[in-house]
Amino acid sequence: EPEVTQTPSHQVTQMGQEVILRCVPISNHLYFYWYRQILGQKVEFLVSFYNNEISEKSEIFDDQFSVERPDGSNFTLKIRSTKLEDSAMYFCASSDFKPHITNSPLHFGNGTRLTVT
Amino acid sequence: AQSVAQPEDQVNVAEGNPLTVKCTYSVSGNPYLFWYVQYPNRGLQFLLKYITGDNLVKGSYGFEAEFNKSQTSFHLKKPSALVSDSALYFCAVRDAKLTFGTGTRLTIIP
């Protein structure tokens, strides 16, 4: 069964540094998402992306965050200047969801654990 | 805004007993409801969904969920719990994105 893959599985960075988290969504999917989870708690929506632009973003997704689909397969989340509170598990997800059909589940990767020191 | 609530942070069930993980929803219009499971150090795995139709939805690993419109609930159930069912369970509602509940940690006691 096709799956969403995320690299790296664990990223350690110093406060103020830039990080890029990478994701390869399922190949025929059109909608891409980033979520984060702090310390095994609630899973929070960050951003959704379709047709090479952001569809929706949460209040968490401020100017230090950006997303990109640099080629036909990768989907990246960049954090420009990391803060201690950015330490979390970041999950990428994809879906073949169409705007008028909301019954497609999201398929999640195994996540990247980001530790900011 | 659409939301789901999971009133229990932790549920403990003896192996072999039936289990229920509770979820209530608040939506405008038709609800699109999902259950996901998260095993340690893993991503979220889709279990089942309710869109329309039968109020009892069957999913993966022997789980099912009952949609109750009058109680605005979508409880996850399994007739006989296994130790391997121990995990974090999330209820979710979908419009253009998926919004998760706070999660319930299910522990099955041997």
Side-chain angles (χ1 to χ4, degrees):
Chain A
E1 184 176 327
E3 58 182 28
V4 176
T5 57
Q6 290 186 243
T7 55
S9 57
H10 192 185
Q11 175 87 47
V12 181
T13 189
Q14 289 189 325
M15 193 169 53
Q17 296 296 305
E18 174 182 287
V19 294
I20 298 177
L21 309 183
R22 303 181 190 280
C23 170
V24 179
I26 294 173
S27 62
N28 64 336
H29 285 185
L30 301 175
Y31 296 81
F32 313 113
Y33 306 81
W34 283 101
Y35 283 79
R36 78 173 185 190
Q37 183 183 36
I38 297 176
L39 291 177
Q41 301 302 315
K42 185 174 183 178
V43 179
E44 300 173 301
F45 169 76
L46 291 178
V47 65
S48 59
F49 189 88
Y50 168 69
N51 200 26
N52 284 321
E53 61 183 25
I54 291 173
S55 305
E56 186 175 353
K57 60 182 181 180
S58 71
E59 63 274 8
I60 302 169
F61 194 87
D62 61 21
D63 290 344
Q64 70 164 335
F65 291 92
S66 62
V67 289
E68 193 178 32
R69 189 155 162 81
D71 52 42
S73 59
N74 291 284
F75 179 52
T76 62
L77 174 69
K78 182 190 290 186
I79 309 176
R80 265 181 270 282
S81 178
T82 51
K83 298 178 282 194
L84 293 176
E85 54 265 37
D86 294 327
S87 294
M89 196 76 164
Y90 288 80
F91 292 105
C92 174
S94 69
S95 170
D96 61 0
F97 157 80
K98 297 177 183 179
H100 61 290
I101 301 174
T102 55
N103 61 355
S104 297
L106 270 62
H107 297 263
F108 286 82
N110 284 334
T112 294
R113 182 174 299 281
L114 177 65
T115 302
V116 182
T117 61
Chain B
Q2 307 199 100
S3 65
V4 288
Q6 294 179 245
E8 301 159 318
D9 292 334
Q10 173 83 40
V11 171
N12 297 325
V13 176
E15 185 179 19
N17 282 3
L19 69 87
T20 298
V21 183
K22 295 180 181 177
C23 172
T24 58
Y25 65 88
S26 174
V27 304
S28 54
N30 295 322
Y32 297 109
L33 299 164
F34 298 78
W35 276 101
Y36 281 78
V37 60
Q38 184 181 30
Y39 298 102
N41 300 312
R42 299 297 299 274
L44 295 140
Q45 295 181 34
F46 168 72
L47 274 181
L48 51 81
K49 66 183 179 185
Y50 172 82
I51 307 301
T52 59
D54 288 342
N55 290 339
L56 187 64
V57 179
K58 294 190 183 297
S60 307
Y61 312 122
F63 283 93
E64 57 191 26
E66 186 173 8
F67 174 74
N68 188 317
K69 188 173 183 178
S70 62
Q71 297 184 4
T72 62
S73 66
F74 188 56
H75 300 333
L76 181 70
K77 300 183 179 186
K78 187 172 182 180
S80 178
L82 301 173
V83 173
S84 57
D85 293 330
S86 297
L88 195 53
Y89 290 81
F90 290 94
C91 181
V93 62
R94 181 162 193 184
D95 44 23
K97 64 181 186 292
L98 206 57
T99 300
F100 289 90
T102 50
T104 298
R105 186 166 300 281
L106 175 66
T107 301
I108 308 303
I109 302 165

